[in-house]
């Protein structure tokens, strides 16, 4: 004579489920978080600027390149081979403002491009301003 035991079936199902979960490999995701900072630049004819780029993620960023877009002035392109997690790179540069600018405040678009360890390309965008002689709208 056969007796059906529902409790026994539940225990077998639970044991099978636990065994399956132990066999499935788990994955951990790592990430890169790029922070680019260029404080507003106040200038007359020449200006000194400090640009800081940092990685607050847990994976190294490779081929870190920063370019600046502005109608007011030409900026240098900045390059760093790699940026380790929780590290930052400070770059100082001078700007020569000879484009016959009118006094005013000009926007600067900051584009930082980088790659992960698999050479997948990413970018981070931020902004700043150039105040030439006065802080009014240009």
């Amino acid at each position: 004579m056969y007796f059906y035991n529902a409790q026994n079936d539940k225990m077998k199902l639970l044991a099978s489920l636990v065994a399956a979960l132990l066999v499935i490999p788990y994955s951990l995701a790592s990430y890169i978080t790029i922070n680019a900072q260029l404080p507003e630049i106040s200038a007359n004819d020449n200006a000194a600027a400090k640009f800081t780029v940092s990685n607050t993620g847990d994976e190294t960023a490779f081929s870190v390149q920063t370019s600046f877009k502005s109608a007011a002035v030409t900026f240098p392109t900045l390059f760093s081979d790699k940026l380790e997690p929780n590290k930052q790179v400070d770059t100082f540069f001078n700007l020569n403002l000879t484009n016959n600018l009118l006094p005013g405040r000009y926007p600067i678009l900051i584009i930082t491009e980088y790659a992960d360890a698999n050479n997948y390309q990413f970018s981070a965008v931020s902004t700043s301003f150039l105040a030439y002689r006065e802080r009014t709208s240009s």
Side-chain angles (χ1 to χ4, degrees), residues 27-33 57-60 116-118:
S27 65
L28 296 174
S30 58
Y31 60 95
I32 299 171
T33 302
D58 63 358
E59 180 180 348
T60 301
D116 66 3
N118 295 319

Side-chain angles (χ1 to χ4, degrees), residues 35 55 91:
N35 298 307
N55 178 3
T91 305

Side-chain angles (χ1 to χ4, degrees), residues 26-44:
Y26 64 93
S27 65
L28 296 174
S30 58
Y31 60 95
I32 299 171
T33 302
I34 296 294
N35 298 307
Q37 297 174 347
L38 179 66
E40 181 172 314
I41 302 168
S42 296
N44 286 325

Side-chain angles (χ1 to χ4, degrees), residues 84-132:
E84 299 287 341
N86 299 312
K87 299 290 182 187
Q88 77 177 31
V89 174
D90 295 326
T91 305
F92 298 89
F93 56 90
N94 290 314
L95 298 173
N96 188 3
L97 307 175
T98 58
N99 292 347
N100 296 326
L101 291 177
L102 295 174
R105 192 168 182 241
Y106 295 88
I108 302 168
L109 180 65
I110 304 165
I111 303 169
T112 304
E113 300 172 283
Y114 59 96
D116 66 3
N118 295 319
N119 206 28
Y120 290 115
Q121 300 293 315
F122 299 93
S123 62
V125 178
S126 57
T127 60
S128 186
F129 289 93
L130 168 68
Y132 181 64

